[in-house]
Amino acid sequence: VCVLYTQAIGNKEWREFGRTEVIDNTLNPDFVRKFIMDYFFEERENLRFDFYDVDSKSPNLSKHDFLGQMFCTLGEIVGSQGSRLEKTIVGIPGKKCGTVIVTAEELGCCRDSVLMQFCANKLDKKDFFGKSDPFLVFHRSNEDGSFTICHKTEVVKNTLNPVWQAFKISVRALCNGDYDRTIKVEVYDWDRDGSHDFIGEFTTSYRELSRGQSQFNVYEVINPKKKGKKKKYVNSGTVTLLSFLIETEVSFLDYIKGGTQINFTVAIDFTASNGNPSQPTSLHYMNPYQLNAYGMALKAVGEIIQDYDSDKMFPALGFGARLPPDGRVSHEFAL
């Protein structure tokens, strides 16, 4: 079994995050159970993987034989080539404990957005004077069969053949990433007093809409009350999908996976505005017990960036100091 530990932010104590399944009688286990973690680029997320040989049903780890452990950061895994980190297992003095391979992948969770545009033809006339002022309301269906509103178009004034502006919506908002979930669209005639008249409705799904402009995406607008009353009722007009464009949002991890390297170059200010280096108030003061402000900044940034830099070399420069031997002021020198 492999047990994953993460570190608490404040006191740095290790807490168990989860365990894989137990695989019997093997020295080369390939664990199925995955750990789903939040990734924060700007934080150093320390991980510890402990391995045990399990011989009883007891959940108590001290009852099982310790086989070694591996320490790394989440950034180290993500920053490795192909997000695949191979590291030696350590922890038992004088013994080779084998190696562990950890791979990471970003959960898709549907980061796509869609840009779509609709028009309508021959909608019912609802206003006594003039034509209708139509707008569309989109609802996504929930697990329990209820509907949640997710988009409203603008109102197009005084027409039975409106063309609405294209709008962008995330696939999550539209159908929670489930391509076959019902999407209900209602057509209304806008009224100033807010008592908008219902013209009719139709249903579709992301999968149907994604076929784009075609005969499949011309929808009859149906008013169930009228349909019940009038035998000859056909529809209250049609709504047509004019265009459907998928836009994939690129994440930070996509850049890292694509081989983006992050390099770290630092320049430190030695000008007199930093104060006298021998005084504790100066940013350059060398306190024997803790890092000064510059040291802390270097550590905070460097510890994160190092995981994404292949050569682990960080150029460091200074400016605004008098350099030996002749005491000339330099505004760019190597540290």
Side-chain angles (χ1 to χ4, degrees):
V1 70
C2 170
V3 185
L4 169 62
Y5 293 87
T6 54
Q7 243 177 351
I9 298 290
N11 57 7
K12 295 290 181 211
E13 114 188 64
W14 289 103
R15 294 185 190 154
E16 183 177 325
F17 184 87
R19 299 180 186 192
T20 62
E21 74 280 15
V22 175
I23 300 182
D24 289 338
N25 295 324
T26 176
L27 301 180
N28 303 303
D30 190 353
F31 297 107
V32 175
R33 186 166 305 154
K34 298 172 174 65
F35 301 114
I36 297 177
M37 315 187 74
D38 290 324
Y39 163 78
F40 302 104
F41 165 71
E42 65 284 358
E43 286 176 21
R44 187 178 169 86
E45 299 175 74
N46 292 319
L47 307 178
R48 181 181 112 207
F49 297 86
D50 287 9
F51 298 90
Y52 287 91
D53 170 30
V54 174
D55 283 321
S56 71
K57 289 270 184 273
S58 170
N60 183 350
L61 292 172
S62 62
K63 299 271 199 295
H64 306 296
D65 298 326
F66 178 65
L67 299 175
Q69 60 190 176
M70 186 273 275
F71 295 88
C72 67
T73 66
L74 188 52
E76 227 177 313
I77 304 171
V78 168
S80 304
Q81 200 172 355
S83 299
R84 177 184 185 276
L85 178 70
E86 190 166 335
K87 249 186 150 175
T88 310
I89 299 171
V90 298
I92 301 175
K95 192 171 176 215
K96 281 195 170 147
C97 302
T99 55
V100 55
I101 297 166
V102 189
T103 52
E105 62 173 357
E106 185 172 14
L107 287 182
C109 207
C110 207
R111 293 195 308 272
D112 293 353
S113 292
V114 289
L115 184 70
M116 46 187 172
Q117 185 177 20
F118 290 87
C119 69
N121 284 86
K122 298 184 179 161
L123 294 175
D124 283 357
K125 178 174 172 319
K126 289 285 184 185
D127 290 346
F128 197 65
F129 302 105
K131 299 174 174 140
S132 296
D133 305 315
F135 66 98
L136 300 176
V137 182
F138 290 76
H139 303 262
R140 69 156 191 260
S141 63
N142 303 316
E143 302 283 347
D144 61 1
S146 63
F147 283 92
T148 303
I149 184 167
C150 57
H151 183 75
K152 260 185 204 169
T153 66
E154 79 283 6
V155 177
V156 182
K157 288 291 184 67
N158 200 26
T159 175
L160 301 180
N161 303 302
V163 178
W164 289 282
Q165 286 169 18
F167 64 91
K168 186 175 170 183
I169 186 170
S170 76
V171 175
R172 261 193 204 150
L174 192 61
C175 61
N176 214 5
D178 175 355
Y179 291 178
D180 296 303
R181 193 174 284 204
T182 301
I183 297 165
K184 181 170 81 173
V185 185
E186 297 174 330
V187 188
Y188 285 95
D189 165 35
W190 178 85
D191 280 331
R192 185 173 308 258
D193 63 6
S195 62
H196 311 308
D197 297 321
F198 177 67
I199 294 175
E201 63 185 15
F202 62 91
T203 59
T204 179
S205 67
Y206 178 88
R207 198 178 297 285
E208 274 182 60
L209 291 170
S210 65
R211 291 159 131 177
Q213 191 181 17
S214 66
Q215 78 267 27
F216 301 110
N217 279 316
V218 179
Y219 297 94
E220 289 195 82
V221 177
I222 302 296
N223 183 333
K225 274 190 186 158
K226 276 194 170 181
K227 198 176 179 182
K229 281 183 190 160
K230 295 184 184 170
K231 284 228 165 76
K232 284 188 174 168
Y233 177 78
V234 183
N235 60 43
S236 296
T238 57
V239 168
T240 302
L241 176 69
L242 290 176
S243 65
F244 186 91
L245 261 169
I246 299 168
E247 295 183 12
T248 300
E249 305 279 330
V250 180
S251 78
F252 178 76
L253 283 181
D254 290 326
Y255 282 97
I256 297 294
K257 279 212 288 277
T260 303
Q261 289 280 318
I262 300 178
N263 302 308
F264 176 35
T265 304
V266 59
I268 293 177
D269 179 358
F270 284 86
T271 59
S273 58
N274 282 268
N276 182 345
S278 63
Q279 297 295 317
T281 51
S282 164
L283 297 174
H284 284 286
Y285 179 66
M286 291 301 216
N287 183 331
Y289 303 110
Q290 66 184 50
L291 289 170
N292 63 23
Y294 282 113
M296 280 156 73
L298 282 168
K299 187 168 186 288
V301 178
E303 272 192 346
I304 302 296
I305 300 292
Q306 65 178 355
D307 288 337
Y308 305 93
D309 184 319
S310 54
D311 68 4
K312 310 265 185 273
M313 303 282 277
F314 310 113
L317 305 161
F319 60 93
R322 291 185 186 281
L323 296 192
D326 53 5
R328 259 197 303 207
V329 172
S330 168
H331 287 301
E332 186 183 0
F333 55 91
L335 292 177

